[in-house]
Amino acid sequence: MSSSASRPPRRTALDALHRSLGATMTDFAGWDMPLRYGSERDEHLAVRTRAGLFDLSHMGEIAVTGPDAAALLNFALVGNIASVGVGRARYTMICRADGGILDDLIVYRLAETEYLVVANASNAQVVLDALTERAAGFDAEVRDDRDAYALLAVQGPASPGILQSLTDADLDGLKYYAGLPGTVAGVSALIARTGYTGEDGFELFVDPADAEKLWQALTEAGAEAGLIPCGLSCRDTLRLEAGMPLYGHELTTSLTPFDAGLGRVVKFDKEGDFVGREALERAAERAAQNPPRTLVGLIAEGRRVPRAGYRVVAGGEVVGEVTSGAPSPTLGKPIAMAYVDAAPGAEGVGVDIRGSHEPYEVVALPFYKRQK
């Protein structure tokens, strides 16, 4: 069996368009994706102040349908999916039997017995395999729908106005973590509002054959508002400023949701058993008695950028580890997220960058919160 490393990366329906725009492409989770089109900083600031347009077609869509769809998802995932109303979405996780996080997910309830599970690109196959295995005994179908969708996202304060000019859908009535079917620029779409940048914005799930038409329509409609195409690089700095976790950095199989400070997504009060329940009950108890490392924000006093894996030190002792780090265009300084032992005091900490302990201020997350 050939390893995924030897396979050529997959290309989205917008691949030729990205190249025509001069995008710098990169292999991300087995997909050839745009990293940036021009300046990462300009793309980041466009999303913060105007609007940015992203191709997120690498995300993994999995349909779960049938009479027992809700019961299957309640068993397979840690959240209470049965309580999600039609047209709404929920952030949740899928864990192993030992409580380790396999992935964090968004689940949309499209109809009474129809759900769309959206997994991270790097974990889509793992999630698909786990859901398929866990479906045994349930009257429900798990279907790989990754090829059925292209996914575009418009993010930033100008995004509602741009999108409203192309659709009759009631965007004002579309709440955060909701999704509704509609038509955008003549293209049938699932219009969602879940965002990963700290800004308001929308995700548009469409047929891959319609992706280019929709991209061009959004580009034209957003030109006056200052919308520009944005790559994965600024998506990372945007989510970092917003204190949002990234799988493989803040979330891994070696952590439970309680270790990650996200125990609130685990719903022990839902009906029936679910995968990982016993291990997660123990993890919740441990966290209550002896809190695990805490995820905190670090703001640099100097100019050196911390990277994932760098050690956090205080009083000559290693007290934690950086999980994500980058220059922050909004703050104008390097920032990082790190898991640390007890939250250090206001005196701050050092980050070991090639043997030098660079000073960092410890702050609560997020670094950036948009004005409502």
Side-chain angles (χ1 to χ4, degrees):
M1 196 168 156
S2 66
S3 74
S4 58
S6 64
R7 294 191 203 118
R10 297 176 70 177
R11 296 185 170 193
T12 77
L14 294 165
D15 184 80
L17 190 146
H18 298 316
R19 291 169 196 278
S20 74
L21 292 171
T24 299
M25 306 296 286
T26 188
D27 184 340
F28 183 82
W31 288 82
D32 221 6
M33 298 298 294
L35 190 63
R36 72 182 78 82
Y37 297 85
S39 153
E40 291 166 12
R41 185 175 180 278
D42 289 350
E43 291 173 24
H44 180 110
L45 295 174
V47 175
R48 284 277 176 262
T49 59
R50 304 185 306 278
L53 178 58
F54 296 84
D55 178 9
L56 304 179
S57 302
H58 60 312
M59 300 295 282
E61 295 89 3
I62 301 162
V64 180
T65 58
D68 288 351
L72 163 58
L73 289 170
N74 261 15
F75 170 71
L77 312 179
V78 300
N80 188 349
I81 308 305
S83 68
V84 178
V86 173
R88 298 308 303 268
R90 184 154 295 165
Y91 176 78
T92 187
M93 294 182 184
I94 182 166
C95 290
R96 302 191 306 194
D98 66 1
I101 303 166
L102 281 174
D103 200 13
D104 61 335
L105 312 165
I106 295 177
V107 180
Y108 298 90
R109 189 170 197 168
L110 305 181
E112 198 59 37
T113 60
E114 185 183 348
Y115 294 83
L116 181 67
V117 177
V118 181
N120 285 296
S122 55
N123 295 328
Q125 191 63 46
V126 169
V127 173
L128 178 66
D129 292 346
L131 287 175
T132 302
E133 186 184 315
R134 295 173 190 187
F138 289 95
D139 185 5
E141 182 196 354
V142 175
R143 186 176 71 239
D144 181 357
D145 263 3
R146 282 176 287 180
D147 291 337
Y149 291 104
L151 176 56
L152 279 62
V154 193
Q155 294 281 301
S159 57
I162 294 167
L163 191 59
Q164 194 65 79
S165 72
L166 295 172
T167 183
D168 292 335
D170 176 17
L171 299 185
D172 286 343
L174 185 65
K175 297 182 173 71
Y176 189 49
Y177 267 76
L180 62 87
T183 303
V184 182
V187 169
S188 293
L190 169 64
I191 306 168
R193 197 174 204 164
T194 53
Y196 188 60
T197 61
E199 298 300 335
D200 192 9
F202 303 87
E203 296 76 46
L204 305 168
F205 295 85
V206 300
D207 187 306
D210 293 328
E212 193 166 329
K213 176 187 174 184
L214 183 56
W215 179 283
Q216 299 289 18
L218 288 163
T219 299
E220 286 166 27
E224 210 172 293
L227 174 141
I228 62 171
C230 293
L232 293 185
S233 187
C234 83
R235 185 169 156 85
D236 191 48
T237 51
L238 289 159
R239 71 93 196 165
L240 177 55
E241 287 184 351
M244 293 176 170
L246 175 64
Y247 195 89
H249 290 255
E250 289 72 41
L251 308 174
T252 68
T253 49
S254 63
L255 297 171
T256 72
F258 294 94
D259 297 323
L262 291 165
R264 65 181 180 277
V265 306
V266 181
K267 303 300 180 189
F268 293 119
D269 57 352
K270 64 179 174 177
E271 275 185 41
D273 194 14
F274 62 91
V275 177
R277 179 192 270 275
E278 278 184 34
L280 289 168
E281 282 172 344
R282 291 194 298 272
E285 211 171 292
R286 281 197 308 273
Q289 291 167 358
N290 183 21
R293 285 183 163 184
T294 308
L295 189 64
V296 299
L298 303 177
I299 300 179
E301 292 180 22
R303 308 303 306 167
R304 298 184 75 180
V305 179
R307 297 297 181 193
Y310 286 11
R311 294 180 301 178
V312 180
V313 293
E317 299 287 319
V318 175
V319 297
E321 187 176 297
V322 171
T323 53
S324 296
S328 164
T330 305
L331 276 63
K333 298 175 179 180
I335 59 172
M337 288 200 277
Y339 280 115
V340 297
D341 294 330
E347 73 277 3
V349 296
V351 174
D352 187 340
I353 302 181
R354 297 184 188 85
S356 169
H357 290 181
E358 299 289 324
Y360 278 75
E361 179 191 356
V362 180
V363 298
L365 293 167
F367 298 98
Y368 167 86
K369 206 166 189 177
R370 72 182 169 99
Q371 302 300 307
K372 297 287 185 193

